[in-house]
């Protein structure tokens, strides 16, 4: 299969490396030309347990991709969109939309919520899928990725397909991608309720991500800080309130799952901690910020989530000021 991975951050590099090692034709679309060159010249290194592998995907910078005229003959089967929410610009979505008009399907891997609505302005809804994953990875350099925790991934249509015929064609293509992901060593299943799955994961991220970023600790340490537990619980319960107001059904054992993710990914630096450490903007607007926005529509106030939001926004502002 011909697969393009757009966004060479931790999840993008992990997917590109493992799919290429499993024999798929992979092209990575990077932000910088420097990163594309590093991958082309030296390959994409994957560290997994005690093993190290070198994958050889093709790499191209977004600036070059923009210059290519989309042609059906070269259109990939899949675009795996792995940029963070803050990098989902109109320009990027417009370029990807042109490829999707040639028959390509797009699978969006963003954390949080809100991206489906933005993508649907550029990509036909019938070609748009979303993924929710708990894979853990850390980018060590421009061309080295460390697979820090094996997780699970659910994929499915971003918006439920209408016609039965369309549904069948879609499912066949999704199953083909799932089989490629299985061969690459990922645990993946198909879902027909991605909105619900995204919200369930959102509540996990709304507890773990801001707290790990503020306290500068890996996920597992949250469970060892006794004074923190009531705050974790408040963040979670406010999330439940917002989800119910939005008519989203949550898994009954979701609180247990929050704790389980901390245990299972104990040594992981959450994506928000990685962003803060690197001085990058975070995904707070699409995680706790998205909860606040949903709550506002129903006249709800989420005190704990609002405090997390303001603290992370303040860190971002401070980093911007010291970078000026
Ligand atoms: O999704 C994650 C993230 O870091 O964004 C978790 C599940 C918290 C794993 O680190």
């Amino acid at each position: 299969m011909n697969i393009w991975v757009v966004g060479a951050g931790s999840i993008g590099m992990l997917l590109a490396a493992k799919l290429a090692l499993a024999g798929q034709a992979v092209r990575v679309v990077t932000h910088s030309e420097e990163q594309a060159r590093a991958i082309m010249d030296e390959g994409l290194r994957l560290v997994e347990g005690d093993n190290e592998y070198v994958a050889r995907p093709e790499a191209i910078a977004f600036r070059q991709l923009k210059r290519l005229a989309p042609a059906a003959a070269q259109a990939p089967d899949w675009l795996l969109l792995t940029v963070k929410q803050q990098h989902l610009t109109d320009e990027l979505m417009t370029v990807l939309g042109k490829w999707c008009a040639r028959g390509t399907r797009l699978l969006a891997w963003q954390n949080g919520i809100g991206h489906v609505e933005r993508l649907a302005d550029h990509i036909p809804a019938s070609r748009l899928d979303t993924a929710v994953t708990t894979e853990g990875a850390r980018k060590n350099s421009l061309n080295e990725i460390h697979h820090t925790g094996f997780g699970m991934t659910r994929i499915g249509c971003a918006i439920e397909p209408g016609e039965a015929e369309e549904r069948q064609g879609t499912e066949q293509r999704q199953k083909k991608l799932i089989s490629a992901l299985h061969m690459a060593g990922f645990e993946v299943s198909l879902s027909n309720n991605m909105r619900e799955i995204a919200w369930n994961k959102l509540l996990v991220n709304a507890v773990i991500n801001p707290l790990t970023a503020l306290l500068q600790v890996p996920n597992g340490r949250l469970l060892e800080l006794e004074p923190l537990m009531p705050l974790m619980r408040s963040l979670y319960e406010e999330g439940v309130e917002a989800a119910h107001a939005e008519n989203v059904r949550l898994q009954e054992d979701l609180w247990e799952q929050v704790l389980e993710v901390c245990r299972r990914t104990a040594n992981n630096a959450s994506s928000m901690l990685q962003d803060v450490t690197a001085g990058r903007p975070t995904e707070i607007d699409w995680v706790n910020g998205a909860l606040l926005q949903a709550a506002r529509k129903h006249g709800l106030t989420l005190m704990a989530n609002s405090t997390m939001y303001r603290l992370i926004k303040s860190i971002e502002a401070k980093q911007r000021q010291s970078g000026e």
Side-chain angles (χ1 to χ4, degrees):
M1 225 182 323
N2 188 353
I3 301 170
W4 292 3
V5 178
V6 182
S10 48
I11 289 296
M13 285 167 77
L14 180 69
L15 287 166
K18 286 175 75 70
L19 283 165
L21 286 166
Q24 303 298 336
V26 179
R27 170 184 265 182
V28 191
V29 182
T30 62
H31 176 66
S32 74
E33 275 158 27
E34 191 192 357
Q35 188 177 18
R37 239 188 336 268
I39 296 173
M40 286 303 279
D41 291 348
E42 297 163 25
L44 184 51
R45 281 196 302 275
L46 167 70
V47 181
E48 206 169 52
D50 293 333
N51 301 316
E52 276 191 41
Y53 309 89
V54 179
R56 292 273 170 194
E58 196 190 313
I60 180 174
F62 178 61
R63 190 131 55 112
Q64 284 166 280
L65 181 76
K66 271 195 302 189
R67 291 198 210 112
L68 289 183
Q74 325 158 327
D77 300 298
W78 282 92
L79 285 171
L80 308 187
L81 179 60
T82 54
V83 298
K84 295 248 172 93
Q85 291 254 15
Q86 57 270 36
H87 299 132
L88 212 48
T89 59
D90 280 341
E91 185 189 31
L92 174 62
M93 291 189 283
T94 305
V95 171
L96 300 183
K98 288 186 186 148
W99 287 98
C100 289
R102 293 293 187 179
T104 299
R105 283 192 79 78
L106 184 143
L107 176 59
W109 292 73
Q110 285 64 41
N111 259 340
I113 56 172
H115 51 297
V116 170
E117 292 73 10
R118 286 194 290 148
L119 282 163
D121 286 340
H122 302 267
I123 317 286
S126 59
R127 302 239 168 87
L128 182 55
D129 291 319
T130 51
V132 171
T133 189
T134 52
E135 292 292 342
R138 190 183 61 236
K139 181 174 169 177
N140 288 342
S141 72
L142 289 179
N143 64 333
E144 182 172 297
I145 187 71
H146 187 166
H147 194 183
T148 49
F150 284 83
M152 261 181 55
T153 302
R154 309 292 298 273
I155 76 170
C157 296
I159 298 152
E160 259 302 279
E163 301 294 321
E165 209 173 296
E166 188 182 300
R167 192 184 298 243
Q168 214 180 20
T170 297
E171 216 175 283
Q172 271 170 10
R173 291 181 70 180
Q174 290 167 333
K175 283 187 175 157
K176 233 174 126 189
L177 178 70
I178 289 178
S179 132
L181 289 164
H182 283 164
M183 283 194 300
F186 293 106
E187 198 180 325
V188 188
S189 58
L190 193 58
S191 161
N192 60 10
N193 200 346
M194 289 309 293
R195 178 173 182 254
E196 210 169 282
I197 288 172
W199 263 87
N200 278 274
K201 171 90 190 303
L202 174 68
L203 262 60
V204 174
N205 288 130
V207 176
I208 299 177
N209 292 25
L211 290 174
T212 49
L214 287 164
L215 293 163
Q216 307 263 296
V217 293
N219 299 349
R221 281 283 278 155
L222 296 183
L223 304 180
E224 294 163 13
L225 304 171
E226 207 197 304
L228 198 61
M229 200 42 78
L231 178 54
M232 289 174 71
R233 188 73 205 189
S234 302
L235 286 167
Y236 170 75
E237 277 167 9
E238 289 181 2
V240 171
E241 226 187 314
H244 287 163
E246 286 282 284
N247 273 325
V248 176
R249 215 160 36 98
L250 296 172
Q251 282 149 21
E252 270 169 30
D253 64 343
L254 189 56
W255 171 246
E256 257 313 309
Q257 287 183 38
V258 173
L259 305 180
E260 184 55 25
V261 171
C262 291
R263 280 190 286 267
R264 224 169 5 89
T265 61
N267 298 322
N268 268 30
S270 75
S271 52
M272 202 169 283
L273 171 57
Q274 292 185 43
D275 284 338
V276 164
T277 308
R280 295 187 296 251
T282 71
E283 289 185 301
I284 194 76
D285 280 312
W286 298 277
V287 181
N288 305 76
L291 281 179
L292 295 176
Q293 219 180 1
R296 217 171 293 125
K297 284 197 272 171
H298 304 280
L300 300 170
T301 310
L302 311 182
M303 278 311 293
N305 279 275
S306 171
T307 306
M308 292 300 112
Y309 181 78
R310 285 175 181 280
L311 284 169
I312 296 289
K313 285 304 233 187
S314 304
I315 292 180
E316 289 180 1
K318 195 172 117 217
Q319 286 178 336
R320 263 197 317 276
Q321 283 161 11
S322 54
E324 274 164 10

